[in-house]
């Protein structure tokens, strides 16, 4: 095997070049070299395939450590441990933070937590049932802000699971919304903006939407494959949280099999499928760093 | 507009438990996988480490100074915790078997590289044989998408160390792939 007769290989720089972490000057020089060097081009292909291979290497067996399982053990310790409340300026985030032993349990804290949870569940009764399933992947470039709208076509397969209080009865409104997740400047999971708020005060035609919020809530922590979705009630806002997974972004509102949209890519596509048990039309606005509009329409 | 991670952390610093739960569910899959790899699939160790990491986040959210991203900060805690867990298990050196020809100007031969690209299993096997340090730095860059400076923060090393570690990881990986290729070519 003969090495190509070229003045310089860019071997050690190639991983960071492929990962997008070289200067524009370096990038230009490397790309000039790549146009002449098949070996380096081939090595670039290797680095491009690395995320895929890493994703398959040492992947956590599903259901080994379910989200709920760890949380159920963590929560009692967590809620009985005071936060710092920013009162320790000497602790810099750039240095390792030494773990501290948990402090003594305060039973009153649990009582307060229980009360809060009960209130949330009770309030949930006034909100729509949200169900979901995963949707097909959508891969694409991601602008800093993205807007997407969709109309949900009703498919009244069964009666709503909650009794409407003020709005007329309705069937199930279901549909699929697909849009691009906003604001992912560095194309990585941690920058995915994965908290969205649906403003239920924007409901058209009715000021109350009836449903079983707790159904959604309870489904949040039972997503297979350890992929979480959290729902919480924030005043008049229903906040949905979803987990970015290895370059793909997932969202669902019910325990359904989920797959990463594209675990190997840095694509910021977001797909959401909801089944909406709602007695009324509603318009929700999902906002984040960018703004994504989502419209649920009952016909 | 503040990134949601930061907003959540501020709420956590104020003791809001629902914010903590939101952050937990957001980072749980990534941290679980990170620890699963770092702690060699030791379930009990991973579970312990996960709890300690989130407890640490809960306690220390108020100390976050926005000098980097929240994710970097959290992975820094996770790396630290993983190291502590490994140290306690006296396992940190078990898989450290550097196999690097540091002075070679190694380039993967086109034929073997082509094979490696086609055969993902080969690449996965080679990745599994890398030392913990080498695989960790590759994962942080190529799987979790951190920039070298952020990786330096997470690992508490100089940025130059990250680059050299990537360089060594590259050579080790290419050597492993070449050895595999040579073995496969032998009758």
């Amino acid at each position: 095997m003969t090495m190509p007769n070229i003045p310089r290989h860019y071997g050690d720089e190639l991983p960071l070049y492929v990962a997008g972490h070289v200067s524009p000057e370096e990038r230009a020089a490397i790309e000039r070299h790549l146009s002449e060097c098949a070996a380096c081009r081939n090595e670039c292909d290797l680095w491009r395939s690395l995320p895929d291979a890493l994703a398959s290497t040492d992947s956590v067996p599903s259901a080994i450590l379910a989200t709920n399982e760890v949380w159920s053990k963590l929560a009692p310790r967590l809620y009985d441990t005071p936060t710092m409340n920013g009162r320790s300026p000497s602790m810099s985030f750039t240095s390792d933070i030494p773990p501290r032993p948990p402090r003594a349990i305060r039973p009153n804290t649990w009582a307060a937590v229980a009360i809060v949870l009960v209130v949330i569940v009770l309030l949930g009764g006034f909100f729509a049932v949200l169900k979901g399933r995963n949707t097909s992947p959508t891969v694409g470039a991601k602008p800093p802000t993205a807007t997407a709208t969709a109309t949900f076509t009703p498919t009244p397969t069964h009666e709503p699971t909650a009794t409407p209080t003020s709005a007329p009865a309705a069937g199930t409104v279901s549909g699929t919304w697909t849009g691009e997740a906003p604001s992912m400047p560095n194309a990585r999971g941690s920058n995915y903006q994965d908290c969205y708020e649906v403003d239920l005060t924007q409901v058209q035609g009715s000021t109350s939407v009836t449903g079983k919020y707790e159904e959604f809530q309870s489904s949040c922590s039972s997503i297979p494959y350890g992929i979480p979705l959290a729902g919480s009630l924030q005043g008049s806002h229903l906040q949905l949280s979803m987990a970015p997974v290895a370059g793909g972004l997932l969202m669902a509102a019910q325990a359904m099999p989920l797959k990463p949209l594209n675990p190997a890519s840095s694509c910021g596509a977001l797909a959401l499928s909801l089944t909406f048990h709602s007695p009324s039309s509603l318009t929700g606005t999902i906002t984040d760093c960018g703004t994504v509009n989502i419209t649920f329409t009952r016909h | 507009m503040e990134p949601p991670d930061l907003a959540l952390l501020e709420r956590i610093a104020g003791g809001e438990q629902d914010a903590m739960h939101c952050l937990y569910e957001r980072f749980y899959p990534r941290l679980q996988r990170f620890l699963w790899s770092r702690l060699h699939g030791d379930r009990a160790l991973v579970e312990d480490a996960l709890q300690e990491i989130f407890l640490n986040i809960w306690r220390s959210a108020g100390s976050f100074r926005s000098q980097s991203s929240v994710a970097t900060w959290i992975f820094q805690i996770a790396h630290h915790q993983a190291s502590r867990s490994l140290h306690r298990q006296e396992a940190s050196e078990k898989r450290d078997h550097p196999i690097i020809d540091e002075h070679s100007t190694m380039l993967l031969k086109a034929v073997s590289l082509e094979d490696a690209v086609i055969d993902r299993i080969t690449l996965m096997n080679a990745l599994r044989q890398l030392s913990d340090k080498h695989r960790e730095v590759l994962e942080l860059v190529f799987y979790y998408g951190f920039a070298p400076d952020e990786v330096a923060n997470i690992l508490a090393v100089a940025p130059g160390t990250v680059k050299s570690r990537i360089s060594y990881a590259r050579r080790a990986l290419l050597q492993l792939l070449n050895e595999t290729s040579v073995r496969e070519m032998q009758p």
Side-chain angles (χ1 to χ4, degrees), chain A:
Chain A
M1 180 68 61
T2 57
M3 288 293 182
N5 183 22
I6 48 180
R8 183 201 170 188
H9 286 298
Y10 279 87
D12 285 346
E13 290 91 339
L14 292 181
L16 289 178
Y17 161 74
V18 170
H21 299 304
V22 294
S23 68
E25 295 76 20
E26 284 177 303
R27 169 172 293 275
I30 290 171
E31 286 174 354
R32 275 196 302 274
H33 172 76
L34 290 176
S35 68
E36 302 168 345
C37 178
C40 284
R41 282 200 302 274
N42 286 337
E43 188 179 326
C44 284
D45 288 340
L46 169 72
W47 296 111
R48 289 189 187 98
S49 70
L50 204 67
D52 227 356
L54 285 169
S56 306
T57 306
D58 279 347
S59 56
V60 183
S62 61
I64 285 291
L65 278 173
T67 310
N68 265 357
E69 188 181 344
V70 176
W71 179 258
S72 65
K73 294 175 184 173
L74 172 66
R77 303 177 65 191
L78 193 71
Y79 293 155
D80 292 315
T81 304
T83 62
M84 288 176 58
N85 291 318
R87 289 194 295 269
S88 181
S90 61
M91 184 170 286
S92 165
F93 102 99
T94 54
S95 60
D96 286 340
I97 297 174
R100 299 173 178 178
R103 301 186 187 179
I105 293 174
R106 296 177 303 167
N108 287 346
T109 306
W110 256 123
V113 170
I115 290 170
V116 169
L117 290 175
V118 167
V119 169
I120 289 175
V121 169
L122 289 176
L123 284 174
F126 295 101
F127 287 85
V129 170
L130 292 175
K131 286 185 173 181
R133 55 181 181 271
N134 68 306
T135 60
S136 58
T138 302
V139 178
K142 46 206 175 301
T145 60
T147 300
T149 59
T151 299
F152 283 67
T153 305
T155 53
T157 54
H158 57 277
E159 292 299 315
T161 55
T163 305
T165 54
S166 60
T172 301
V173 180
S174 64
T176 299
W177 170 85
T178 302
E180 288 180 346
S183 185
M184 283 155 284
N186 290 337
R188 76 171 200 227
S190 58
N191 274 351
Y192 289 170
Q193 305 306 319
D194 44 11
C195 263
Y196 295 82
E197 288 188 346
V198 179
D199 186 354
L200 296 178
T201 63
Q202 299 299 310
V203 170
Q204 293 176 347
S206 173
T207 55
S208 71
V209 180
T210 304
K212 287 177 63 181
Y213 174 71
E214 60 269 22
E215 181 175 339
F216 166 72
Q217 190 177 40
S218 65
S219 71
C220 293
S221 51
S222 56
I223 304 293
Y225 307 141
I227 297 162
L229 171 76
S232 61
L233 201 60
Q234 307 288 328
S236 60
H237 287 66
L238 176 66
Q239 179 169 300
L240 309 178
S241 305
M242 70 207 86
V245 176
L249 189 59
L250 303 170
M251 181 172 180
Q254 194 188 22
M256 299 288 287
L258 293 175
K259 295 175 183 174
L261 296 180
N262 188 344
S265 83
S266 57
C267 112
L270 165 67
L272 164 64
S273 175
L274 290 174
T275 302
F276 217 80
H277 298 261
S278 170
S280 69
S281 300
L282 73 89
T283 300
T285 303
I286 295 180
T287 58
D288 209 318
C289 285
T291 299
V292 177
N293 298 315
I294 182 167
T295 303
F296 306 87
T297 304
R298 175 179 175 272
H299 296 282

